[in-house]
């Protein structure tokens, strides 16, 4: 096994025990980037030499007994929305071409403090305003999208081109690409991880979180990120219960809510079958399955778009007036549309969000987590505009991918996507787990138990002949 193939936990243990050095691990990851990224295009910027310098420093510290923790010496990638001092952060947009921040964002600083090694910045759908990340290719099938907007981060992890990455999630932008590329994606409780120094799409829906190979890895990264930051007005100053990996698959006493509406409407039969099989697996581990009705499901899409569109336009107002031609056409039309949303519609969406949050919190007093598909279909082909469902309904790719992810953004609840197998075309599918505010520990516990039952998700080989009929 090559070092780049190790999970974060495996690599961390090898570094701690002296079986592997940060330099060897970083060199292996950089060689993997060189081998696969010309095809996948997960990275907008690779900082190979700086990464080698950081890795050498981490090696010296570990050897001298100054190991900082489980992330020390571990290669990471950050979504290109996340400010990094001295490293270009462009939001994958011509609007910010050549922009080099002077200071790290809060999360970049925390990961640097934990000793993680930055190898590069991962592509995003321009300013995170989209669900496909069109410049990046899905490592399981290069003719398909990786999902968005954290598609570069997810594709890099899936291809073994980094050990872990950070993404952002406003309407599913961590969980969607995680599901479509076969990795783990965690959207924490709103405000748990600071968003200071990160380009915003929609301030009241934005979340920051990890993309990793395993659920345990996601918990390790989250532990390094949490905590109030004075520069983050939405940040929570609350105690966080760190996830402790149990190493077992026992779920006795855990109540798992199974939606009877919304989450299985207009879903590909193979995706539904995979999730139903996962639910039965949770029951076999001792969980009790409880049918639940998703509240206010008819208002989810209108509320998501009613909040996101005007907030995005407000953030981009100055550049939209001065340099509109620098935006891609798909993003520009959405930003221009946001200027036409009446304030009364935005306020109505805010009121609906309050009611929806209260209803979901009530639902989560009856169950511990809710389990459902992450997305209703596997990765669309590049350039594909819509899905056609069995009843003849046509739905845009973006609407389909947002539909099942948006409730957790509107309510701010923690949500996790874990790999749930492959369809007959060899494309990954995802199981989504949603829990109570600040109860990431339970969400991660259930996700880890399912992962132990099913086995670890493999890395994508990237070569087309190796990624078929999995």
């Amino acid at each position: 096994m090559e070092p780049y193939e190790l999970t974060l936990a495996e690599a961390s243990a090898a570094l701690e025990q002296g079986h592997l050095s940060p330099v060897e691990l970083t060199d292996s990851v950089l060689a993997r980037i060189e081998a696969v990224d010309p095809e996948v295009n997960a990275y907008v910027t690779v900082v190979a030499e700086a990464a080698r310098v950081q890795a050498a420093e981490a090696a010296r510290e570990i050897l001298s007994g100054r190991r900082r923790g489980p992330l020390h010496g571990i290669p990471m990638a950050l979504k290109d929305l996340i400010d990094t001092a001295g490293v270009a952060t462009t939001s994958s947009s011509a609007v910010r071409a050549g922009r080099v921040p002077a200071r790290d964002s809060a999360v970049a600083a925390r990961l640097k403090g934990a000793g993680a090694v930055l190898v590069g910045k991962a592509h995003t759908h321009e300013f995170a305003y989209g669900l496909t990340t069109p410049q990046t290719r899905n490592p399981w099938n290069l003719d398909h999208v990786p999902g968005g907007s954290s598609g570069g981060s997810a594709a890099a992890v899936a291809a073994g081109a980094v050990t872990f990455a950070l993404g952002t999630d406003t309407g599913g932008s961590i969980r969607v690409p995680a599901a479509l590329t076969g990795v783990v994606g965690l959207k924490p409780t709103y405000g748990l991880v600071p968003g200071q120094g990160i380009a915003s799409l929609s301030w009241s829906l934005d979340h920051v979180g990890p993309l990793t190979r395993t659920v345990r890895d996601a918990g390790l990264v989250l532990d390094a990120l949490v905590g109030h930051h004075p520069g983050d007005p939405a940040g929570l100053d609350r105690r966080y219960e760190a996830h402790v990996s149990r190493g077992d698959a026992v779920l006795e006493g855990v109540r798992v809510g199974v939606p009877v509406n919304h989450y299985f409407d207009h879903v590909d039969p193979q995706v539904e079958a995979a999730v139903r099989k996962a639910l039965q697996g949770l029951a076999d581990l001792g969980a009790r399955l409880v049918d639940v009705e998703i509240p206010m499901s008819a208002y989810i899409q209108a509320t998501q778009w009613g909040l996101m569109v005007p907030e995005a336009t407000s953030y981009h107002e100055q550049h939209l007036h001065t340099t509109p031609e620098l935006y891609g056409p798909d993003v520009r039309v959405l930003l221009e549309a946001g200027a036409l949303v009446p304030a009364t519609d935005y306020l109505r969406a805010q009121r609906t969000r309050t009611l929806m949050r209260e209803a979901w919190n009530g639902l989560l007093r009856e169950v511990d987590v809710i389990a459902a598909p992450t997305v209703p279909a596997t990765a669309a082909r590049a350039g594909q505009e819509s899905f056609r469902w069995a009843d003849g309904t046509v739905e845009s790719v973006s609407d389909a991918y947002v539909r099942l992810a948006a409730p957790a953004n509107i309510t701010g609840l923690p949500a996790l996507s874990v790999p749930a197998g492959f369809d007959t075309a060899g494309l990954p599918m995802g199981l989504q787990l949603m829990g109570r505010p600040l109860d990431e520990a339970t969400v991660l516990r259930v996700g880890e138990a399912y992962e132990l039952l099913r086995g670890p998700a493999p890395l994508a080989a990237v070569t087309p002949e190796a990624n078929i009929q999995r």
Side-chain angles (χ1 to χ4, degrees):
M1 175 180 285
E2 296 295 327
Y4 77 80
E5 299 178 82
L6 297 171
T7 68
L8 192 162
E10 291 169 343
S12 182
L15 292 174
E16 182 179 21
Q17 295 161 12
H19 302 318
L20 180 69
S21 81
V23 173
E24 291 171 326
L25 178 58
T26 299
D27 281 344
S28 179
V29 167
L30 290 172
R32 180 65 173 173
I33 293 172
E34 187 175 348
V36 303
D37 206 52
E39 293 290 340
V40 176
N41 197 30
Y43 286 93
V44 59
T45 302
V46 176
V47 288
E49 292 311 310
R52 291 188 175 99
V53 171
Q54 292 177 53
E57 177 62 22
R60 287 190 290 271
E61 290 179 345
I62 293 171
L63 281 172
S64 65
R66 292 179 291 143
R67 183 171 180 265
R68 304 184 199 179
L71 302 189
H72 202 175
I74 302 294
M76 67 171 175
L78 300 179
K79 187 175 182 176
D80 198 34
L81 298 179
I82 301 171
D83 278 358
T84 42
V87 179
T89 304
T90 69
S91 301
S92 294
S93 175
V95 175
R96 289 188 169 178
R99 176 178 176 269
V100 180
R103 292 187 297 178
D104 282 324
S105 60
V107 291
R110 287 178 180 179
L111 292 173
K112 182 184 291 184
V117 175
L118 179 67
V119 297
K121 305 300 289 290
H123 271 300
T124 173
H125 201 118
E126 184 180 16
F127 281 109
Y129 214 167
L131 272 296
T132 58
T133 317
Q135 63 273 56
T136 301
R137 305 165 86 184
N138 192 314
W140 288 102
N141 188 318
L142 299 173
D143 293 329
H144 291 248
V145 300
S149 61
S150 305
S153 296
V157 174
V162 79
T163 308
F164 78 91
L166 288 196
T168 63
D169 191 312
T170 305
S173 290
I174 288 172
R175 291 160 290 149
V176 170
L180 300 187
T181 63
V183 301
V184 172
L186 173 63
K187 182 200 77 64
T189 302
Y190 181 73
L192 182 62
V193 177
Q196 181 274 334
I198 302 174
S200 177
L201 174 55
S202 173
W203 68 267
S204 71
L205 298 168
D206 292 342
H207 301 68
V208 191
L211 289 134
T212 59
R213 292 272 308 286
T214 70
V215 175
R216 183 182 180 190
D217 290 355
L220 292 173
V221 178
L222 182 65
D223 291 346
L225 298 175
V226 298
H228 180 66
H229 187 281
D232 181 16
L236 296 175
D237 189 10
R238 298 279 295 278
R239 182 177 297 277
Y240 163 70
E241 180 185 353
H243 170 63
V244 177
S245 178
R246 295 164 59 101
D248 62 41
V250 177
L251 292 178
E252 293 292 341
V254 176
R255 300 165 300 172
V256 176
V258 181
V260 298
N261 63 321
H262 184 68
Y263 278 96
F264 292 98
D265 301 339
H266 290 148
V267 170
D268 181 273
Q270 292 188 72
V271 172
E272 177 168 0
V275 172
R276 298 285 187 194
K277 183 178 179 181
L279 290 169
Q280 183 56 53
L282 296 178
D284 293 342
L285 297 176
R288 180 161 64 92
L289 304 185
V290 181
D291 286 346
V292 296
E293 183 169 352
I294 300 303
M296 303 179 68
S297 60
Y299 302 98
I300 290 170
Q301 185 180 46
T303 303
Q304 173 72 22
W305 289 101
L307 295 168
M308 183 176 68
V309 172
E311 288 183 1
T313 298
S314 176
Y315 181 82
H316 289 274
E317 185 174 14
Q318 180 179 349
H319 287 299
L320 193 60
H321 282 306
T322 58
T323 55
E325 71 281 359
L326 295 181
Y327 290 94
D330 61 328
V331 171
R332 179 177 172 180
V333 71
L334 289 169
L335 292 174
E336 290 174 341
L340 305 177
V341 177
T344 51
D345 285 356
Y346 176 69
L347 294 174
R348 188 176 296 114
Q350 290 285 13
R351 288 196 295 268
T352 305
R353 184 231 294 275
T354 299
L355 296 173
M356 199 175 294
R357 184 187 292 124
E358 291 173 352
W360 274 76
N361 286 340
L363 178 61
L364 284 162
R365 286 192 285 270
E366 305 300 322
V367 295
D368 300 299
V369 297
I370 295 170
T374 306
V375 287
T378 53
R381 285 188 171 274
Q384 181 178 334
E385 295 183 353
S386 62
F387 294 108
R388 180 178 293 275
W389 303 113
D391 64 358
T393 301
V394 176
E395 184 177 30
S396 75
V397 169
S398 291
D399 283 348
Y401 286 158
V402 168
R403 174 162 44 92
L404 306 187
N409 294 94
I410 295 168
T411 59
L413 298 173
L416 176 75
S417 181
V418 295
F422 297 83
D423 70 4
T424 55
L427 292 170
M429 300 176 287
L431 167 70
Q432 182 176 196
L433 300 166
M434 296 161 281
R436 302 185 188 96
L438 297 172
D439 193 16
E440 278 78 3
T442 298
V443 173
L444 291 167
R445 176 192 170 191
V446 175
E448 187 173 21
Y450 171 68
E451 186 177 74
L452 289 169
L453 173 70
R454 191 184 173 280
L459 286 175
V462 179
T463 55
E465 63 273 12
N467 290 333
I468 58 174
Q469 301 297 323
R470 296 207 55 89

